Amino acid sequence: NHIVASDSLDRFYPQALSNIVWAYATAGVRHPKLFEKLANHVVESDSLDQFIPQDFSNTIWAYATAGINNPKLFGEVANHIVKTDNLDRFDPQTLSNIVWAYATANVPHSKLFQKVANHIVESDKMDRFNSRNFSNIVWAYATAQVSHPKMFRKVAKAVIQRKEEFDSQAVANLLWSYTTMGIIDKQLFLSFVSTAAKLIGTYNNQDIANIARAYAVAGVDAPTLFNDRFINKCVEKKDGFVIKDLSQLHQWHLWQTKEKSNSGLPVDLQERCFNAFISDEPTVSKLQEDVVAQLSFIGLDPKEEVLMGSGYRIDVLVEVNGKTIGVEVDGPHHFIGKGRSPLARTILKRRQVPPIDGIELVSV
């Protein structure tokens, strides 16, 4: 309250400002007026040239952690970093904190993410990154839906050599990030099977669901990971799974039982997962309405949002010469960013529906 009431913050050096918001965020104490006062000062004073990399990192991290969004501050900081000649003064922790903060705050800034990714690709100091740096960075890019295949390839090569350094959360975030971006690196997933298996007793519910779905998307068989111990752990933690976790476990169960003919979840948990998976209310896009109109115009009898035995809903189902065909209307939200690489959910649906439900899928 004293700082908020101050006429000016000109006597506060950048390190002092960043330390203050970092302290409040770390303590879990939200004070929106304080955060607004400091953000306005930074934006209006044009003082970013006086910030060192850690000041940027601590400040942006604090706002994201506190859940206080300030687009102007985030924009000014990102633009300043983008204009920097190089990022050699930014250590791995600083870089990971910055991209993590922008992803967590849901503030898109593609130029900043491209700048950081290019720096990592060109870096010859990957040994300075620790496991949490690696996992947080790829998590940030996956969450922000920013594609940079070269960076993901370089990180994969580095982490394979250092997989034993990863803890449970780092493993789960790493593998989730690759499949979320539609990057199916078989070597990466095969390399992490033993590490992931050894950590089975330390995963939380979200970690279990993320790892299960990641391997399902990658299609990498891992019997030493997905065995009775894994299933028992799912049963042990069954009351802690939220709808999203249960939905991901349903997709893993389909992969294990329908695609691989392996053991899956026990019936009661399986039913909970199925019910969670089908609980989302379908939404119909304008593009889907147009597709349905054209299918009707040419004499077909399209049925919309058909629930299949697998639990997947097909956008449009038609009969053509006695053959059932599913038409998936894949708009922009089925792909990564503005590109044409399919999201993990699109990859799985395209792969699982034909063999399980016995229909051909056509993407429009």
Side-chain angles (χ1 to χ4, degrees):
N1 291 335
H2 178 79
I3 296 174
V4 170
S6 300
D7 292 335
S8 170
L9 300 183
D10 289 342
R11 294 172 60 198
F12 288 77
Y13 291 107
Q15 184 179 1
L17 296 172
S18 66
N19 283 355
I20 289 169
V21 290
W22 178 90
Y24 274 81
T26 301
V29 178
R30 294 183 89 254
H31 198 299
K33 289 184 178 180
L34 171 67
F35 277 72
E36 182 181 6
K37 177 92 174 184
L38 268 62
N40 290 341
H41 170 76
V42 172
V43 171
E44 294 169 3
S45 65
D46 195 27
S47 61
L48 290 178
D49 285 334
Q50 301 173 31
F51 279 66
I52 63 173
Q54 188 172 355
D55 296 336
F56 290 126
S57 172
N58 287 354
T59 302
I60 294 301
W61 179 91
Y63 279 78
T65 301
I68 298 176
N69 196 354
N70 192 296
K72 287 186 178 180
L73 174 67
F74 276 76
E76 288 293 326
V77 170
N79 291 336
H80 185 86
I81 295 173
V82 169
K83 292 176 183 177
T84 303
D85 290 338
N86 62 68
L87 301 182
D88 291 343
R89 294 172 59 217
F90 290 71
D91 63 31
Q93 186 67 47
T94 298
L95 293 173
S96 67
N97 281 355
I98 288 172
V99 292
W100 177 91
Y102 277 82
T104 300
N106 193 25
V107 179
H109 200 293
S110 60
K111 289 184 179 180
L112 171 66
F113 276 75
Q114 292 299 320
K115 177 94 173 182
V116 173
N118 290 339
H119 171 77
I120 293 172
V121 169
E122 295 165 4
S123 175
D124 59 357
K125 301 173 182 176
M126 297 297 279
D127 58 313
R128 296 187 179 180
F129 288 76
N130 61 36
S131 60
R132 192 55 62 90
N133 299 152
F134 284 128
S135 66
N136 282 351
I137 287 170
V138 293
W139 178 90
Y141 279 76
T143 301
Q145 291 291 287
V146 178
S147 178
H148 201 294
K150 287 184 178 179
M151 185 200 72
F152 274 83
R153 284 196 296 270
K154 183 157 187 178
V155 170
K157 184 178 179 180
V159 299
I160 287 172
Q161 303 301 319
R162 298 166 58 187
K163 57 184 181 292
E164 300 302 328
E165 300 174 18
F166 281 67
D167 62 16
S168 55
Q169 186 180 8
V171 169
N173 286 352
L174 179 83
L175 300 178
W176 174 87
S177 300
Y178 274 80
T179 51
T180 295
M181 294 302 288
I183 301 173
I184 311 303
D185 190 316
K186 300 285 187 181
Q187 185 180 1
L188 173 69
F189 278 82
L190 285 170
S191 297
F192 267 84
V193 169
S194 60
T195 302
K198 284 191 294 187
L199 295 169
I200 196 68
T202 64
Y203 295 123
N204 62 30
N205 290 75
Q206 185 179 11
D207 293 338
I208 290 173
N210 282 349
I211 288 175
R213 184 170 182 258
Y215 272 91
V217 175
V220 173
D221 201 16
T224 58
L225 170 59
F226 300 121
N227 49 25
D228 289 343
R229 188 177 176 217
F230 178 84
I231 294 173
N232 290 339
K233 181 59 65 174
C234 290
V235 173
E236 175 189 322
K237 302 178 78 67
K238 63 181 180 180
D239 293 333
F241 290 117
V242 298
I243 289 178
K244 183 178 179 181
D245 300 333
L246 293 169
S247 295
Q248 293 190 139
L249 285 175
H250 174 70
Q251 292 173 306
W252 173 84
H253 177 80
L254 289 178
W255 174 54
Q256 287 290 292
T257 60
K258 303 298 184 182
E259 294 187 83
K260 306 297 293 185
S261 298
N262 293 332
S263 298
L265 300 169
V267 175
D268 59 338
L269 182 53
Q270 175 188 339
E271 289 177 352
R272 282 186 62 206
C273 292
F274 179 84
N275 290 332
F277 189 68
I278 66 174
S279 65
D280 278 345
E281 288 295 324
T283 57
V284 177
S285 66
K286 178 62 168 62
L287 176 59
Q288 182 170 324
E289 291 176 352
D290 292 342
V291 170
V292 169
Q294 291 300 315
L295 292 172
S296 298
F297 180 76
I298 62 175
L300 298 176
D301 182 23
K303 296 178 175 58
E304 292 189 76
E305 301 300 334
V306 180
L307 180 63
M308 308 300 291
S310 62
Y312 283 104
R313 292 184 187 274
I314 304 303
D315 291 343
V316 186
L317 211 61
V318 293
E319 294 282 339
V320 180
N321 298 325
K323 185 177 182 180
T324 302
I325 296 177
V327 180
E328 283 295 288
V329 184
D330 291 338
H333 65 285
H334 288 271
F335 302 94
I336 297 165
K338 297 180 180 180
R340 296 295 296 170
S341 298
L343 292 167
R345 66 173 184 268
T346 305
I347 292 173
L348 265 183
K349 188 174 187 179
R350 288 176 178 179
R351 196 186 78 215
Q352 291 187 325
V353 166
I356 297 174
D357 294 310
I359 65 170
E360 179 182 343
L361 276 187
V362 175
S363 174
V364 176

